Amino acid sequence: MRPDPTPGRRAFLAGTAAAILLGCKADPDESASETGTPRETGAEPCADPFEGGALLGLVGFLGEDDEGVGYVDGVGLDGRLAVDLTTLDEDHLVQNNDAFYVRTLAPSALEPAGWTIPIGGLVAEAGSITADELAAAAVPMGVTLLECSGNSSNRAFGLISAAEWSGVPVVDVLARVTPLPSATRVRIRGFDEHPKSTGSIAGAAWVFTVAELVAAGAFFATEMNGAPLPADHGGPVRLVMPGWFGCTCIKWVDEIVFVDDSEPATSQMLEFAERTHQVGKPSLARDYLPAKVQQAAMPVRVEQWEVAGEIVYRIVGVLWGGEAPTDKLVLSFNGGPDVPVTVCPAATTNRTWTLWSTAWRPEPGLYTITCHIDDDVPQVRLDDGYYARAVMIG
Ligand SMILES: Nc1nc2c(c(=O)[nH]1)N[C@H]1C(S)=C(S)[C@@H](COP(=O)(O)O)O[C@H]1N2
Ligand SMILES: [Mo]
């Protein structure tokens, strides 16, 4: 899935930004964070090969669309907002509530007043919990990243964001009822009545084992970045599955049902089977692999600098997904040899993304940049070149 190397509107805009920035000498005092002045890692500060240099501008990525990048495109089920990843830096790794990516805007028929979630199915006695009860019991859950499994070059890979959430562990909510011995799984559904859609299928529900919910640290979120969860992000109540793709993070949760091993896959599971790397389109929920985000990495920005009279490029990117922090990032240019990148400060968590950058001195030409983790970790998307990005130098 290499991007088609035709300049898109995004590349044109980046060119404009480059023209505006051209010749603006970075002030060594004022631009400390922008120029990546050594950051404390505890013992050793990170080396900064751009110290004293001047940022000339950005080189745009080729063959990508900027549809919905930084603005809401479409309505309801077709409402999308993709994050402008070129703005990521050490101080901007958490998105504000109105800048966090959107995959589906709140349905117009949503009625949050008196929101009550029934808990039933294969249980001794049905129960329920209200959004107010959840909000009152919410505790901080830390910064957690979500990525849409359909995140792609169509929206400049911007269907990915991190926020600081508060909520209630799903297991605490499930404990309100006594499941029958036959209950092996839980189906969590969200309100999803939209008037019309041009492409997406309405109806949002995913089936999990209790063990998956426990292992992921699943929670029902009621707050995002210290504010009540906005309707467009699933308010009053959404599921967050840390480490799993966004399509499992059901918004406007309106039903929790204990089910058994014969439970069919939901329409949402079928719709997202390919994007979550399932084997075919299993018709039973039990045949789905956990829809986890495997280790991934991509460049988010290529900067052009002048350092001591020399033109040098700086590739800035992110690492995310996976199960354990890695320091084995390598880049490849046009499929050439691996070029190791020192991630500094080192990645300390897989719950959210980690920024990295590296100096690059290319000859003029067209380059496709791919990332890989030089370690034995699953990385199906990196193996497929899914997050490859192309730039024209010179
Ligand atoms: N009820 C409901 N929940 C949903 C969806 C939806 O369409 N309806 N979309 C899912 C998908 S595909 C993603 S990627 C995430 C996006 O969450 P966000 O819009 O808050 O970023 O919500 C998930 N939860
Ligand atoms: Mo998604």
Side-chain angles (χ1 to χ4, degrees):
M1 272 193 219
R2 306 272 155 144
D4 157 14
T6 346
R9 195 171 139 232
R10 178 126 214 100
F12 168 75
L13 288 176
T16 312
I20 293 165
L21 285 163
L22 203 77
C24 291
K25 187 113 184 130
D27 180 322
D29 296 324
E30 264 209 280
S31 57
S33 66
E34 185 178 302
T35 57
T37 285
R39 287 155 270 159
E40 292 303 319
T41 53
E44 300 230 348
C46 300
D48 178 14
F50 296 88
E51 200 171 357
L55 173 64
L56 303 182
L58 298 186
V59 184
F61 294 115
L62 306 180
E64 299 182 4
D65 290 336
D66 66 353
E67 224 188 321
V69 173
Y71 63 94
V72 175
D73 175 49
V75 295
L77 195 49
D78 298 318
R80 301 279 186 281
L81 186 157
V83 171
D84 179 359
L85 294 174
T86 65
T87 64
L88 292 186
D89 63 30
E90 307 89 90
D91 303 324
H92 296 93
L93 290 176
V94 171
Q95 276 61 50
N96 291 333
N97 290 355
D98 57 3
F100 193 100
Y101 88 89
V102 173
R103 159 53 170 67
T104 306
L105 289 173
S108 49
L110 186 75
E111 213 353 298
W115 195 265
T116 302
I117 307 168
I119 313 169
L122 301 172
V123 294
E125 196 183 334
S128 68
I129 192 160
T130 66
D132 288 346
E133 287 173 303
L134 286 166
V139 294
M141 292 292 175
V143 174
T144 303
L145 172 132
L146 301 189
E147 184 189 16
C148 180
S149 56
N151 188 21
S152 72
S153 60
N154 285 344
R155 291 179 195 269
F157 297 103
L159 296 179
I160 181 169
S161 298
E164 199 170 332
W165 310 88
S166 291
V168 177
V170 170
V171 280
D172 293 358
V173 174
L174 298 182
R176 287 210 162 193
V177 297
T178 308
L180 299 178
S182 57
T184 53
R185 283 153 213 277
V186 182
R187 188 181 71 224
I188 299 177
R189 187 189 74 182
F191 182 80
D192 221 36
E193 286 166 30
H194 296 271
K196 63 171 170 56
S197 162
T198 53
S200 302
I201 300 168
W206 205 274
V207 181
F208 307 92
T209 64
V210 175
E212 287 169 345
L213 294 164
V214 172
F219 59 92
F220 289 118
T222 56
E223 282 176 39
M224 186 176 180
N225 294 321
L229 184 62
D232 288 332
H233 293 295
V237 180
R238 86 170 301 161
L239 175 65
V240 174
M241 283 295 285
W244 289 47
F245 277 116
C247 49
T248 67
C249 301
I250 302 300
K251 306 203 277 192
W252 316 295
V253 170
D254 68 352
E255 190 188 59
I256 301 170
V257 183
F258 279 88
V259 297
D260 64 21
D261 281 346
S262 69
E263 183 65 15
T266 64
S267 62
Q268 172 106 340
M269 294 169 84
L270 292 163
E271 180 183 5
F272 287 94
E274 197 183 338
R275 282 170 264 178
T276 59
H277 311 289
Q278 303 300 328
V279 183
K281 265 196 179 194
S283 55
L284 292 181
R286 68 168 189 236
D287 294 327
Y288 278 69
L289 301 165
K292 289 187 183 177
V293 180
Q294 292 184 353
Q295 181 66 60
M298 70 176 153
V300 295
R301 172 168 81 244
V302 176
E303 300 169 349
Q304 189 190 44
W305 285 74
E306 189 183 326
V307 185
E310 188 200 4
I311 297 293
V312 188
Y313 295 83
R314 179 175 181 242
I315 306 173
V316 181
V318 285
L319 270 176
W320 75 101
E323 307 278 345
T326 179
D327 61 356
K328 298 281 187 289
L329 174 65
V330 295
L331 303 187
S332 165
F333 300 95
N334 293 337
D338 283 353
V339 181
V341 172
T342 304
V343 179
C344 191
T348 55
T349 178
N350 295 73
R351 213 176 156 107
T352 188
W353 44 19
T354 297
L355 209 63
W356 52 264
S357 68
T358 189
W360 182 37
R361 291 176 173 79
E363 295 296 321
L366 174 64
Y367 292 90
T368 297
I369 309 170
T370 49
C371 298
H372 195 75
I373 305 303
D374 188 19
D375 208 349
D376 188 21
V377 294
Q379 44 188 308
V380 61
R381 289 191 167 192
L382 295 183
D383 292 342
D384 290 351
Y386 185 95
Y387 295 106
R389 309 196 80 173
V391 286
M392 179 68 86
I393 299 295

